[in-house]
Amino acid sequence: MQLKNEDYMQVLSAFDLTDRPVKAEMFGNGHINDTLKVTTEHGEAKYILQRINHAIFTNVEMLQQNIRTVTTHIRRKLEARGEQDLDRKVLTFLPARDGRMFHFDGEYYWRVCMMIPHSRSYDGVDETLSYEAGKAFGDFQMMLSDLPEGALGETIPNFHNMEFRLQQFRDAVKANPAGRLDRVADMVDAIEARVAAMCVQEDLYREGKLKKRTNHCDTKVNNILFDERDGRVLCVIDLDTVMPGFVLSDIGDFIRTGANTGAEDDENLDRVGVNMAIFKAYTRGYMETAKRFLTPLEKKMLPYGGRLLTYMQTVRFLTDYVNGDTYYKIHYPEHNLVRTKAQFKLLQSLEEHAEEMDRFMDTV
């Protein structure tokens, strides 16, 4: 249902705001939640209103408790460092008048946070931005590395669980609901050939050699705010998927998205490959801040994280294609197959550069 400005004002009246809002308009390019910029009676864009996608985040109370735990913990760490201007370096969410960190209007779930002034984000990356992004996400993980086990719940259960994603894939192959299996038999074989190599982190966890940490789980450069005046990093945003997982997820997801020379759905596979300069810049920045809490095994396995997350996304796109395009939005009939092939090409490029990436870890 398309909502009007007066509908948004009614929602905002449920929150404890210091200034009266007068206008809400769509803001940003997020794919999950609806995000609106809220302007006050003083003409200031002061608040961000979000309609939470309850189909994906089914436990909104846990989601908001996670975010409250994370932002409170980061604020304490920044205070201990003697950082200034804290309200621009960590997100501030506002309670509803009933004390909860969200409002349910009977149909939708809503939340409000303070807008961070004089900030901007970037969608593309270069070596400089990659380096700064690596430092930012490494510092984010470092500040949260001492959160006790059980402090956060899984907002999307099994989100980066490779064994779970493979079970979904095998269920789709067995059922073949859209009758497409014959078209992708070679891809199915390629996925199965890598299963043992790509379930290593779960095996190591069961052996007690890898631990679960607090991860962001969506480490794209546009989830970092920069100061629009001097270009310095302000804070990490989009905290919905911050939850327990393996440290490989966060560096792996940036390599998959930021270090790809092509597009995630590139039809020209000749354009797809790993940009080693971006990988090195991000990893160098990441290690500057994260190496204080990483174990030697985690450090050694960081490049593997890029292969793992790319393999995982290949599996997820292929699963959706075999199922008949029931999860990801598509723009044409074979879109998920194109995505699958592009991700697999990136995986092959990462495999080809694996030794070079491993050697680089000895220098940072």
Side-chain angles (χ1 to χ4, degrees):
M1 181 177 71
Q2 185 67 39
L3 299 182
K4 299 178 181 178
N5 192 67
E6 52 263 37
D7 299 317
Y8 298 128
M9 295 304 107
Q10 181 63 37
V11 170
L12 287 162
S13 70
F15 289 87
D16 191 15
L17 308 182
T18 56
D19 294 328
R20 186 173 71 87
V22 296
K23 183 180 181 182
E25 52 191 327
M26 297 303 294
F27 181 69
N29 56 2
H31 298 303
I32 296 177
N33 302 314
D34 293 330
T35 301
L36 299 103
K37 177 175 65 176
V38 178
T39 305
T40 71
E41 60 185 332
H42 306 297
E44 178 186 9
K46 189 168 185 177
Y47 305 111
I48 294 291
L49 172 66
Q50 286 189 311
R51 177 165 57 180
I52 300 169
N53 188 331
H54 186 229
I56 292 178
F57 301 108
T58 57
N59 189 337
V60 174
E61 189 164 357
M62 180 216 287
L63 171 72
Q64 291 304 102
Q65 182 56 46
N66 273 13
I67 290 174
R68 180 181 233 169
T69 298
V70 166
T71 54
T72 300
H73 197 78
I74 289 176
R75 186 175 287 269
R76 287 175 184 156
K77 289 297 181 77
L78 294 174
E79 287 174 347
R81 289 181 185 176
E83 294 272 1
Q84 304 296 312
D85 204 13
L86 293 187
D87 288 338
R88 299 182 72 220
K89 294 181 179 177
V90 60
L91 293 177
T92 302
F93 285 82
L94 303 179
R97 296 187 185 277
D98 62 7
R100 297 186 299 178
M101 298 307 293
F102 63 91
H103 169 63
F104 180 57
D105 64 7
E107 186 173 5
Y108 302 117
Y109 289 84
W110 303 86
R111 66 184 173 203
V112 173
C113 72
M114 299 296 296
M115 192 165 191
I116 296 180
H118 307 296
S119 64
R120 65 159 300 175
S121 62
Y122 297 89
D123 288 321
V125 297
D126 56 19
E127 289 180 51
T128 300
L129 277 179
S130 296
Y131 171 75
E132 293 297 335
K135 286 202 300 183
F137 282 121
D139 192 41
F140 179 84
Q141 282 189 313
M142 192 274 294
M143 286 190 287
L144 296 173
S145 62
D146 60 348
L147 271 179
E149 187 173 350
L152 303 178
E154 287 189 71
T155 54
I156 305 178
N158 295 306
F159 187 50
H160 282 167
N161 183 328
M162 193 65 252
E163 292 176 340
F164 173 76
R165 295 302 182 186
L166 282 166
Q167 187 58 54
Q168 289 182 315
F169 166 71
R170 286 166 169 166
D171 289 345
V173 168
K174 184 177 180 180
N176 190 22
R180 292 173 166 178
L181 197 56
D182 288 346
R183 307 180 212 172
V184 293
D186 57 335
M187 285 302 308
V188 171
D189 291 342
I191 294 298
E192 289 291 350
R194 290 166 169 79
V195 165
M198 292 301 166
C199 290
V200 168
Q201 71 173 0
E202 283 81 11
D203 291 336
L204 290 172
Y205 176 68
R206 283 187 286 268
E207 295 169 9
K209 296 176 181 177
L210 271 185
K211 64 182 293 185
K212 288 194 175 181
R213 299 190 179 276
T214 300
N215 293 328
H216 186 275
C217 295
D218 192 14
T219 49
K220 297 177 179 65
V221 72
N222 59 11
N223 283 331
I224 298 172
L225 291 184
F226 295 80
D227 193 310
E228 65 181 10
R229 295 169 296 193
D230 61 17
R232 64 190 172 94
V233 169
L234 291 174
C235 69
V236 171
I237 61 172
D238 197 359
L239 307 179
D240 291 338
T241 55
V242 177
M243 55 185 162
F246 300 107
V247 73
L248 308 180
S249 291
D250 278 6
I251 191 167
D253 210 25
F254 188 91
I255 294 170
R256 183 186 76 81
T257 56
N260 187 353
T261 57
E264 185 177 70
D265 58 354
D266 213 315
E267 295 185 58
N268 183 351
L269 298 181
D270 290 337
R271 289 195 290 247
V272 177
V274 59
N275 183 325
M276 287 298 295
I278 296 294
F279 161 76
K280 290 178 180 179
Y282 182 87
T283 305
R284 190 178 295 112
Y286 180 80
M287 288 300 294
E288 275 191 27
T289 49
K291 64 184 176 184
R292 282 171 280 178
F293 73 87
L294 292 174
T295 67
L297 178 60
E298 286 172 325
K299 176 183 174 182
K300 179 181 178 181
M301 291 184 68
L302 289 178
Y304 168 80
R307 301 194 294 277
L308 174 62
L309 268 291
T310 305
Y311 174 82
M312 187 181 298
Q313 197 57 52
T314 304
V315 169
R316 294 184 68 190
F317 282 143
L318 185 57
T319 299
D320 200 32
Y321 179 75
V322 173
N323 277 332
D325 310 312
T326 59
Y327 185 83
Y328 293 107
K329 291 180 181 178
I330 60 170
H331 301 295
Y332 50 89
E334 300 290 284
H335 197 177
N336 271 323
L337 182 57
V338 169
R339 289 165 167 157
T340 300
K341 291 179 178 179
Q343 286 294 283
F344 185 66
K345 177 63 185 305
L346 177 60
L347 173 62
Q348 290 175 309
S349 179
L350 287 165
E351 290 170 342
E352 291 166 2
H353 287 85
E355 290 186 10
E356 180 184 355
M357 296 169 95
D358 289 342
R359 287 195 301 271
F360 179 74
M361 295 310 303
D362 294 329
T363 70
V364 293

